[in-house]
Amino acid sequence: MCGITGWVSFERDLGAHRDTLDAMVATMARRGPDATGGWTGRHAAVGHRRLLTIDPRGGAQPMVENTPTGSVALTYSGETYNFAELRAELRRRGHRFRTRSDTEVVLRGYLEWHEDVVHRLNGMYAFAVWDDRRSRLLMVRDRLGIKPLHYYPTSDGVLFGSEPKAILANPLVAPPLTWTECGRSSPG
């Protein structure tokens, strides 16, 4: 099933907030019991919980490509049904692959076509790509919304996750209700 989460902030250095990213990722343990990962940059932090399916060794996430002008980090949940065809097309365009995963195909597709990669994908997925080179976040969900993707705008960016509780794990977000507001007393 997998779970994705992340935080973009243009006013703070998120490299100093790895503990918050880890807390956001931890909320989705049931979505991905097999592996966990995180990546932080200056203005972005992305995390992942993984359920091993395709390429258990090579599909670790977030998947990052370091370029001479900056990093591109992808956190991905889902399945791209036409990834073999896209991989072949990208190889013809000069891309080299280190894994057999559809995740790497999506990442390399983004590197080749930027946002237009979404027009080439056939599948069920939700993913986010942070592009340091352009200081840009691309969040995508499949056309039918099979894979969930929730987001919460902040004063200087956005929080996102496969589940609302990943967003609520960030201290910038106050839960909309407390037990006392519901007419019940808090456990003492």
Side-chain angles (χ1 to χ4, degrees):
M1 168 168 17
C2 295
I4 67 172
T5 192
W7 180 11
V8 171
S9 173
F10 291 103
E11 294 178 2
R12 56 184 99 210
D13 182 353
L14 294 184
H17 295 276
R18 180 59 189 252
D19 56 335
T20 300
L21 176 65
D22 291 344
M24 294 168 70
V25 171
T27 66
M28 298 182 299
R30 70 172 187 81
R31 294 188 73 87
D34 298 323
T36 185
W39 175 89
T40 56
R42 181 176 171 134
H43 294 297
V46 293
H48 193 266
R49 290 298 306 212
R50 186 167 183 221
L51 177 67
L52 298 176
T53 53
I54 298 173
D55 195 5
R57 284 200 213 179
Q61 293 189 54
M63 193 170 280
V64 179
E65 182 68 26
N66 295 309
T67 75
T69 56
S71 298
V72 178
L74 168 72
T75 184
Y76 171 86
S77 172
E79 185 176 351
T80 300
Y81 304 137
N82 62 332
F83 82 96
E85 294 88 353
L86 290 172
R87 178 190 307 272
E89 181 176 352
L90 288 162
R91 276 193 175 130
R92 287 191 299 274
R93 291 174 172 266
H95 290 267
R96 292 200 167 99
F97 289 84
R98 296 183 302 263
T99 74
R100 296 184 323 261
S101 72
D102 58 344
T103 303
E104 187 177 13
V105 171
V106 174
L107 177 59
R108 297 216 167 272
Y110 174 82
L111 292 169
E112 181 69 29
W113 300 301
H114 300 288
E115 297 83 9
D116 289 338
V117 69
V118 302
H119 303 297
R120 297 171 180 268
L121 301 176
N122 176 12
M124 58 173 188
Y125 46 80
F127 64 88
V129 178
W130 170 253
D131 189 338
D132 243 356
R133 306 166 308 171
R134 301 165 77 194
S135 293
R136 182 176 284 173
L137 176 70
L138 173 67
M139 292 188 301
V140 178
R141 189 175 72 171
D142 62 82
R143 290 167 186 85
L144 295 177
I146 296 169
K147 293 294 181 180
L149 181 59
H150 305 274
Y151 68 95
Y152 180 88
T154 64
S155 63
D156 70 329
V158 68
L159 302 167
F160 65 88
S162 294
E163 297 183 3
K165 64 184 176 180
I167 295 168
L168 291 169
N170 189 298
L172 294 178
V173 181
L177 299 174
T178 65
W179 282 96
T180 55
E181 290 171 344
C182 293
R184 298 180 185 206
S185 59
S186 298

